[in-house]
Amino acid sequence: MTGNTILRSVQHYVGKIRTMRNEIRTQRFMDGLPADIRKDIGWPDMYANGRHLDH
C-alpha cells in the first residue's frame, strides 16, 4: 500500500466514526424533546424510514 492509499483509508474510517457519533448525538437530542414535539416532526418514524432509503 502506498502512503496515499493508507491516508485515504484512515480518512474514510474517521469519516464513518464522525457520522456515527453525529447520528447518536442527534438521536439523543431528538429523544430529549417533549413527546408532542417529536410526534409533530415525525420522530422517529420519519427518520427510520429515511435511513432505509439511504443505506
Side-chain angles (χ1 to χ4, degrees):
M1 288 183 130
T2 65
N4 195 22
T5 304
I6 294 171
L7 178 61
R8 207 173 306 141
S9 295
V10 170
Q11 287 174 333
H12 180 71
Y13 177 74
V14 169
K16 281 187 166 189
I17 297 296
R18 183 177 295 131
T19 299
M20 288 171 36
R21 289 184 68 194
N22 286 340
E23 288 177 356
I24 290 168
R25 191 176 297 132
T26 299
Q27 287 176 352
R28 285 181 185 158
F29 173 78
M30 297 298 282
D31 289 341
L33 292 173
D36 57 333
I37 293 177
R38 287 190 315 243
K39 183 180 176 188
D40 287 346
I41 61 176
W43 181 262
D45 299 333
M46 193 168 80
Y47 179 78
N49 291 337
R51 294 285 297 155
H52 292 297
L53 296 175
D54 292 342
H55 294 194

